[in-house]
Amino acid sequence: MKKSKIGILSLAVVMGLSVFATACGSKSSGDGAKKKSITATMNSTFDGKFNPGLYDSVYDAYILDQTFASLWKQDEKLETSIPDLAESWKESEKKDAVSIKLRKDAKWSDGKPLTVDDVIFTWKFIADKEYSGSRFEYVESIKGAKEYHEGKAKDIEGIKKVDDYNLEVTFEKSDARDISTKVFSTPMPKHIFEGKPVKTLENDPAVKKAENIVTSGPFTIKEIKAGEFVVLEKNKNFYGAAQGKPKLDQIVWKVLQEDVAIGALKEGKVDMVSRIKPSSFETIKGFKDVELVEDTDLGYQYLGFRTDHPKLSDKKVRRAIAYAINREQMVTGLLKGHGTLLSTPVSPKSWAYNKDLDADYSFDPAKAKALLAEAGYKDTNGDGFVEDPSGKPYVLSLEFPKGNQVREQSAKLIREDIEKVGIKIDLKQPKDFAALAETVQQKADKTMEMWLMGWTTDVDPNPKNIYGSTAESNYYRWKSPESDKSIGVSMYDQKAFTKEGRKALIKDWTKIFQQDSPVVLLYSQNIIDAYNKRVTGVQYDYRGALGHPSFVDWDVK
């Protein structure tokens, strides 16, 4: 899940535009030299957890993508990992082990060498029993990681350091997934964090304060003003690798409400605007010297069910709700066509997407009513709403977070659609994202019934981490032996070792998922970014333009 908050415009933010009015392409340094600099905007504030093992927000991710290097990067087709910090790697024939060789010219921004010790430290950090972040799933498959995480072992058995630039990793068993999913790829500096308590690290100065943050990527963090801006400066110790060295000297990220950011873009006061609402597309389309780009996001929005709740334990009821919702109307109306309907929790951009299910769960109120009747939910008193099989009033609560305008509007449409087939909906007042997320994640909570949120998926489909019966992120409490078995086959069976074989096995799992409907997949909203044409070298794909690794090629005329 990604946090989504509404940015609050203040006088300080507006005044900040004049302080960082670098859209003309350069500014003078103290010695008279010109620095190439651009200003980009984000429409919600960053959390300020500038550490690859601790961040939660997509807005923190923008900063981290430009300041921290990874072992590898994904290509635009989501098929191949491209070498970066890792010069090369080789998996065993059974895919139960991998040897990784690091480049020898990589350094941290403070000049210290980046070695295997940093990689191992990071894996052990996110496998630590005190770690409360969401990335343990990226080391869980390493042999002994689970025992280390549970405090039953003092080390992770499957990690072996060969020398400063070579290591070997053994997995619990053969694993067909891409290497980018099996091991965490963005190292933290061991010499900065070693010996510090894991559970308190998110508030450490080396995570929060610009002067203390040590990075490994193309840029360093020069200045942070909470809720307002982050200034990035070219990292003089960056090695280049797959990306090359940045052409810009500085990138300024400002927090601006979208309407203000769009006005500033039109006037040339900012250079790039990220994650624009579909409703703003036509407005920006008419701007002179501004380029609009969009592509399908890897993430999706969903209606979640607490499947262990008595009101939602019958899959016929969940399927009825899926048929009742006019998702097509959301894409054409709320998204203005800038989105894609989803039938499975695999992105349409992925090689594993199951096109055969595209037509399933189309809007069909008659089928929804029929399924409710089959399950024993009928209107016995003539008030237009069904009672449960025991004759009691049947009302479902629906909760959603603040901060995403399209999501807030979709909550009302979903209530209207579901009530039209006879289910009474108690639409709650929107909550702050953090408060709602905490409630959704609490396994002991018995009040939650339905909610709206979103997921960002991996480039390599991995249903186990979200939909496995024992998965930490299975907030739906969906327990399906059939699903677990199918997921296991898609990851570990010999048939999964070829792409076509694994695609077929994931396709089998998506059918099970759809029949059980632990969630209703709503849509994938396109990422829409805009930039002034004086910024050159911009590329985009499913990561958008501002999240694309081509940022090292950004330049100004």
Side-chain angles (χ1 to χ4, degrees):
M1 297 181 193
K2 302 295 180 188
K3 294 188 177 180
S4 181
K5 306 172 186 174
I6 294 295
I8 301 175
L9 183 65
S10 66
L11 180 61
V13 173
V14 176
M15 291 177 66
L17 280 174
S18 62
V19 177
F20 294 104
T22 58
C24 292
S26 64
K27 70 175 187 176
S28 179
S29 63
D31 58 5
K34 294 290 185 180
K35 283 190 175 182
K36 292 183 178 180
S37 177
I38 67 166
T39 301
T41 73
M42 55 179 74
N43 55 32
S44 288
T45 188
F46 47 88
D47 288 345
K49 296 180 184 177
F50 297 128
N51 180 285
L54 295 168
Y55 79 97
D56 300 305
S57 162
V58 66
Y59 304 105
D60 283 4
Y62 278 137
I63 308 301
L64 292 168
D65 284 346
Q66 296 180 345
T67 55
F68 280 84
S70 296
L71 296 176
W72 35 68
K73 298 191 178 300
Q74 209 72 25
D75 72 359
E76 60 184 15
K77 296 181 180 179
L78 286 75
E79 293 182 349
T80 306
S81 292
I82 302 168
D84 197 354
L85 281 174
E87 185 176 278
S88 63
W89 59 92
K90 183 177 182 180
E91 289 196 81
S92 64
E93 187 176 341
K94 294 182 178 180
K95 290 186 177 290
D96 60 352
V98 61
S99 298
I100 301 172
K101 181 180 181 180
L102 300 189
R103 30 184 327 119
K104 295 182 179 180
D105 57 351
K107 294 181 180 180
W108 293 102
S109 56
D110 61 3
K112 301 285 186 183
L114 193 158
T115 71
V116 161
D117 291 331
D118 297 301
V119 178
I120 295 174
F121 170 80
T122 304
W123 292 348
K124 292 178 72 172
F125 170 78
I126 61 179
D128 193 282
K129 63 180 180 180
E130 299 290 343
Y131 177 73
S132 59
S134 60
R135 289 161 183 80
F136 175 62
E137 64 192 50
Y138 292 101
V139 297
E140 188 177 15
S141 60
I142 299 175
K143 189 173 184 179
K146 186 176 180 182
E147 289 78 5
Y148 184 80
H149 186 60
E150 293 173 350
K152 297 177 181 178
K154 294 182 179 181
D155 213 340
I156 300 178
E157 181 183 348
I159 301 175
K160 179 184 177 182
K161 175 183 176 181
V162 178
D163 56 41
D164 284 348
Y165 297 97
N166 290 274
L167 76 160
E168 297 175 355
V169 184
T170 304
F171 302 108
E172 286 286 355
K173 50 187 171 181
S174 298
D175 191 332
R177 292 175 298 160
D178 185 78
I179 186 64
S180 63
T181 305
K182 291 191 284 190
V183 295
F184 188 69
S185 63
T186 311
M188 297 161 49
K190 178 182 177 180
H191 66 284
I192 298 297
F193 295 110
E194 187 175 27
K196 295 183 178 181
V198 171
K199 60 183 177 181
T200 62
L201 209 59
E202 66 179 39
N203 294 313
D204 193 90
V207 173
K208 292 284 188 179
K209 295 185 179 297
E211 62 270 24
N212 297 105
I213 299 173
V214 175
T215 69
S216 57
F219 289 88
T220 60
I221 300 177
K222 181 182 179 181
E223 186 178 358
I224 301 168
K225 188 166 185 181
E228 293 192 24
F229 62 80
V230 179
V231 180
L232 306 184
E233 191 168 59
K234 183 189 291 187
N235 180 4
K236 296 177 181 178
N237 285 312
F238 183 59
Y239 51 91
Q243 296 171 285
K245 295 187 177 183
K247 294 181 172 63
L248 293 174
D249 298 300
Q250 182 175 272
I251 299 175
V252 180
W253 280 94
K254 291 199 63 64
V255 180
L256 288 179
Q257 195 173 26
E258 183 171 300
D259 291 346
V260 177
I262 290 172
L265 179 69
K266 183 179 182 180
E267 295 173 10
K269 293 181 179 178
V270 300
D271 298 287
M272 309 182 83
V273 179
S274 67
R275 294 185 177 258
I276 296 162
K277 294 195 297 284
S279 58
S280 300
F281 188 91
E282 291 302 318
T283 300
I284 300 174
K285 192 175 179 181
F287 289 178
K288 183 182 178 181
D289 296 325
V290 171
E291 189 79 27
L292 265 171
V293 295
E294 68 175 311
D295 202 349
T296 304
D297 191 6
L298 281 187
Y300 57 81
Q301 298 294 313
Y302 71 89
L303 168 67
F305 299 125
R306 187 59 62 84
T307 62
D308 62 348
H309 197 291
K311 291 184 181 180
L312 289 161
S313 58
D314 191 330
K315 70 179 180 181
K316 288 184 178 179
V317 174
R318 302 195 298 266
R319 290 175 62 201
I321 292 172
Y323 283 117
I325 299 173
N326 192 343
R327 299 177 301 139
E328 292 89 346
Q329 186 182 53
M330 292 182 190
V331 173
T332 57
L334 297 182
L335 301 182
K336 311 297 183 185
H338 299 284
T340 307
L341 285 180
L342 290 181
S343 296
T344 69
V346 178
S347 171
K349 299 288 290 184
S350 173
W351 52 268
Y353 187 70
N354 185 357
K355 293 182 179 180
D356 296 344
L357 296 180
D358 278 353
D360 290 352
Y361 286 104
S362 55
F363 182 49
D364 194 339
K367 195 164 187 176
K369 292 178 180 179
L371 281 167
L372 285 173
E374 285 178 28
Y377 292 79
K378 300 176 181 179
D379 180 9
T380 58
N381 59 13
D383 67 350
F385 296 107
V386 300
E387 281 70 49
D388 68 18
S390 66
K392 295 179 181 179
Y394 187 64
V395 182
L396 291 173
S397 64
L398 173 58
E399 304 208 40
F400 60 101
K402 298 177 183 178
N404 182 314
Q405 186 180 42
V406 174
R407 186 189 286 148
E408 291 179 12
Q409 292 172 331
S410 68
K412 298 174 183 177
L413 293 178
I414 289 170
R415 176 184 63 182
E416 292 173 7
D417 286 343
I418 297 176
E419 288 194 339
K420 285 176 182 176
V421 302
I423 298 177
K424 182 75 172 176
I425 298 298
D426 176 17
L427 186 62
K428 302 294 187 180
Q429 290 297 313
K431 294 181 178 178
D432 287 332
F433 181 93
L436 181 57
E438 185 177 355
T439 305
V440 168
Q441 293 169 21
Q442 287 176 356
K443 293 184 178 180
D445 184 84
K446 299 296 182 184
T447 61
M448 182 66 68
E449 294 172 10
M450 301 192 300
W451 67 92
L452 297 179
M453 276 193 178
W455 274 113
T456 295
T457 61
D458 284 322
V459 292
D460 188 287
N462 184 22
K464 180 181 178 181
N465 290 341
I466 301 176
Y467 298 108
S469 292
T470 59
E472 194 69 29
S473 297
N474 182 358
Y475 305 132
Y476 331 99
R477 317 295 183 256
W478 181 42
K479 296 187 183 299
S480 168
E482 186 182 11
S483 169
D484 289 341
K485 181 179 179 181
S486 181
I487 289 173
V489 171
S490 73
M491 291 170 61
Y492 308 124
D493 193 272
Q494 186 72 35
K495 296 176 184 176
F497 287 3
T498 66
K499 181 166 290 184
E500 286 306 311
R502 186 153 181 257
K503 181 177 180 178
L505 294 172
I506 292 174
K507 180 178 178 180
D508 291 341
W509 174 78
T510 58
K511 292 177 182 177
I512 298 169
F513 171 88
Q514 196 178 68
Q515 285 300 307
D516 245 35
S517 296
V519 306
V520 177
L521 297 161
L522 301 173
Y523 54 81
S524 177
Q525 182 174 331
N526 290 356
I527 293 182
I528 306 174
D529 292 342
Y531 64 93
N532 192 299
K533 291 179 182 178
R534 63 177 156 246
V535 182
T536 62
V538 179
Q539 299 179 45
Y540 71 98
D541 56 16
Y542 61 91
R543 294 163 284 201
L546 278 78
H548 194 279
S550 67
F551 66 87
V552 293
D553 294 322
W554 294 351
D555 206 345
V556 285
K557 295 180 182 178

